[in-house]
Amino acid sequence: MTTSPNATRCSATARRRGAALVAASASFLLPLAAAAPALAAPPAPHPPSSSHTPSAPGGPSAHPGGTPSGKPSGTPADGKGRPPKQPPVKMSEVGGELLGRPGVQVLRGPGAPELPKDLSGDAWLIADAETGEVLAAKNAHWRLAPASTLKMLFADTLLPKFPKEQRHKVVPADLEGMGEGSSQVGLKEDSTYTVEELWLGVFLRSGNDAVHVLSAMNGGVQQTVRDMQAHAEELQANDTHVVTPDGYDADGQVSSAYDLTLFARSGLQKQDFRKYCSTATAQFPGEERKDGKRETFGIQNTNRLLTGQGVPFYKGIAGVKNGSTTNAGNTFTGVAQHGDHKLLVTVMNPETKEPNEVYKEAAHLLDWGFEATGHVKPVGTLVAPLNAPGKDGGKAGGQSGDKAQASVAGSSGSGGGGMWTAVGITGASVVALAAAAYVVHRRWPLPDLAKRRGGRS
């Protein structure tokens, strides 16, 4: 099996921007260390996303409780790592009962905008990065191939283990076992790199060579896979099964939009994680030569909302990670800040095969989320890690679904069951969600992710 490179191909076509929003394109990324100071200048933001009115309900469902092969619901059914055609009718309820339902879940209140039309991702989620409130989601717990977005878990697991000044000389064994067609930053055998340089290779170029070297420093690939799995379980990312540390397609390797968002949220608590994932460009050391000379070459982040390549730079974007493989399609998790609001978005495998579609759909969801904040009730919450003080359990915020009254408003007609569900929620459930969100907010504050220029927000 051959995967495509993790970076999605650039398109010369960019969305047109509304003139009324040009003056608002002042958000900038958080300051970076001198080792990687270069950032892309943000162009004007794109126009607000369009929306549509849901139609009649419907859509096929998957086998209840599992696939025909007897594997857990949502896991690859064909033995080649490819996802099933439809999400299970019932999935994990971590974070809330509504998040375990197939189709789109949203609780629009007065003044809430309609969701963007033509969202084609197999699964997606938009959430408040600080409170953990999930504003809307589709197939949040569908277990799908994650591609290089799994590197967020890799980084969150290994970043604390090695000081960034530590140096490591690459030996041939460090680079063994990389999958065919893997994206690489260009590490050379018998050359020495700092840990910080290796992490820049992971985050900017999605370098599987850098992942394998850091894994070798951690005791090997299998030890790193065990560490990542244990950390996923600690984060209550129960949809995730780790087979490779770099996200390369492998039979049984799955995650979900919910879990990928948990990984991003956990990683963003770490200063170095925030710095690396928001770095647009950097100079990377080349091969060490016998004459002692060592040149550098430029590398650029594969997150196109951060660099503005092929799609417009997204105002306030500050990371996190993209991916692309044969079985996963294109995947992306991003974080952005407008004013005091910080949102996380994850999109997995858009069915619309336009260039850079995963970034376009993520940008539409972010636009919607910033407009909808304060006008929607959460459909669930991002749970805290098991070791978090005052943790409220594996269904934190999930009691909403126990007393929710659901009415199907219609179907989008797109894949994954296509249900657009408007849910009426009881007063007791709203209180439960609000209380859970407050607890998580106290534990998970984030520093400013976007730096303002000229005093504008």
Side-chain angles (χ1 to χ4, degrees), residues 271-293:
Q271 182 179 0
D272 283 344
F273 188 104
R274 295 194 301 272
K275 182 186 75 172
Y276 297 138
C277 79
S278 64
T279 302
T281 64
Q283 287 298 117
F284 198 81
E287 184 176 7
E288 288 181 321
R289 301 194 317 214
K290 293 181 179 180
D291 60 7
K293 294 182 179 180

Side-chain angles (χ1 to χ4, degrees), residues 56-403:
S61 61
H63 295 265
T67 63
S69 65
K71 295 182 181 182
S73 299
T75 57
D78 66 355
K80 297 179 181 179
R82 296 185 178 90
K85 297 295 184 183
Q86 298 291 339
V89 295
K90 186 172 179 60
M91 295 170 276
S92 168
E93 295 183 0
V94 171
E97 187 267 343
L98 296 180
L99 298 180
R101 300 181 183 180
V104 174
Q105 309 297 324
V106 63
L107 274 165
R108 292 174 58 215
E114 292 184 358
L115 281 162
K117 73 174 185 177
D118 299 329
L119 293 174
S120 69
D122 282 345
W124 52 258
L125 184 146
I126 180 81
D128 187 299
E130 289 200 320
T131 68
E133 293 178 346
V134 179
L135 306 182
K138 175 186 176 184
N139 300 329
H141 284 290
W142 191 5
R143 297 172 179 176
L144 300 168
S148 280
T149 45
L150 193 65
K151 289 183 172 79
M152 294 186 296
L153 175 62
F154 172 77
D156 195 38
T157 303
L158 262 63
L159 261 172
K161 295 194 174 190
F162 310 109
K164 59 186 178 182
E165 301 85 5
Q166 182 175 335
R167 299 176 66 82
H168 178 81
K169 184 174 182 179
V170 176
V171 298
D174 293 346
L175 301 175
E176 291 177 354
M178 283 191 295
E180 182 181 355
S182 288
S183 58
Q184 301 183 41
V185 67
L187 300 182
K188 300 298 182 181
E189 296 176 7
D190 299 320
S191 293
T192 300
Y193 302 87
T194 66
V195 165
E196 180 173 33
E197 289 163 348
L198 294 173
W199 283 119
L200 288 170
V202 171
F203 277 93
L204 273 67
R205 295 305 305 161
S206 205
N208 288 3
D209 49 356
V211 169
H212 277 252
V213 169
L214 286 162
S215 296
M217 295 171 63
N218 188 55
V221 166
Q222 292 308 312
Q223 180 61 50
T224 299
V225 166
R226 288 191 292 270
D227 290 348
M228 290 171 65
Q229 190 66 55
H231 189 47
E233 293 168 5
E234 180 63 33
L235 294 176
Q236 303 198 68
N238 299 334
D239 302 322
T240 297
H241 178 62
V242 183
V243 179
T244 68
D246 49 25
Y248 191 92
D249 284 336
D251 188 22
Q253 180 150 277
V254 290
S255 191
S256 66
Y258 186 88
D259 285 9
L260 294 176
T261 310
L262 288 182
F263 301 153
R265 192 177 186 222
S266 178
L268 287 166
Q269 304 298 314
K270 299 174 175 63
Q271 182 179 0
D272 283 344
F273 188 104
R274 295 194 301 272
K275 182 186 75 172
Y276 297 138
C277 79
S278 64
T279 302
T281 64
Q283 287 298 117
F284 198 81
E287 184 176 7
E288 288 181 321
R289 301 194 317 214
K290 293 181 179 180
D291 60 7
K293 294 182 179 180
R294 193 175 194 183
E295 298 178 350
T296 64
F297 58 94
I299 58 174
Q300 180 168 279
N301 203 308
T302 53
N303 175 355
R304 299 188 186 280
L305 291 183
L306 183 65
T307 62
Q309 281 219 338
V311 292
F313 172 94
Y314 192 85
K315 174 181 179 252
I317 192 74
V320 175
K321 190 72 188 75
N322 62 299
S324 176
T325 65
T326 300
N327 293 340
N330 293 304
T331 59
F332 176 70
T333 297
V335 64
Q337 179 176 346
H338 288 181
D340 293 330
H341 297 295
K342 301 158 189 173
L343 298 182
L344 281 163
V345 65
T346 295
V347 177
M348 301 186 75
N349 191 28
E351 293 185 1
T352 300
K353 301 305 179 185
E354 295 293 328
N356 300 314
E357 182 67 21
V358 71
Y359 301 106
K360 297 172 186 177
E361 295 192 16
H364 286 321
L365 280 167
L366 285 169
D367 286 344
W368 177 86
F370 285 119
E371 187 179 354
T373 297
H375 301 286
V376 294
K377 290 182 173 65
V379 296
T381 191
L382 301 176
V383 295
L386 290 172
N387 64 355
K391 172 190 68 67
D392 28 0
K395 286 192 179 182
Q399 289 75 14
S400 62
D402 298 337
K403 300 182 180 180

